[in-house]
Amino acid sequence: MVTPPVIVSIFEPKIRLTGVALCYNIGFTVFGAMAPLIIMNMIKLNYNIYLTPCIYLLIMIAISGMGLSILKKNNHKMR
């Protein structure tokens, strides 16, 4: 798994536990726990029942990719 070493390397040791916990819990809440609510509301607004989850996943993949590209740029600046 790549995620734990990447998240741990972002923070200095003094605040590492708090930083990792916040990143994990905020990400889980936004990307995981809110997904059924967002998808259900989009379907209620007459969006396609089969296409809506795919659109949601593509949007989340795009957001994650932008975050990773920003992290990669900042990581090269730190070295």
Side-chain angles (χ1 to χ4, degrees), residues 11-23:
F11 302 102
E12 60 187 50
K14 193 165 57 171
I15 61 166
R16 185 169 290 157
L17 181 62
T18 304
V20 170
L22 277 172
C23 285

Side-chain angles (χ1 to χ4, degrees), residues 59-77:
I59 291 170
M60 293 304 121
I61 289 169
I63 292 171
S64 299
M66 287 187 288
L68 285 173
S69 67
I70 291 170
L71 180 64
K72 188 176 179 181
K73 288 178 187 176
N74 288 341
N75 193 19
H76 286 299
K77 290 178 184 176

Side-chain angles (χ1 to χ4, degrees), residues 26-36 56-57 59-61 63-64:
I26 289 172
F28 181 77
T29 302
V30 170
F31 293 120
M34 298 293 288
Y56 178 79
L57 286 174
I59 291 170
M60 293 304 121
I61 289 169
I63 292 171
S64 299

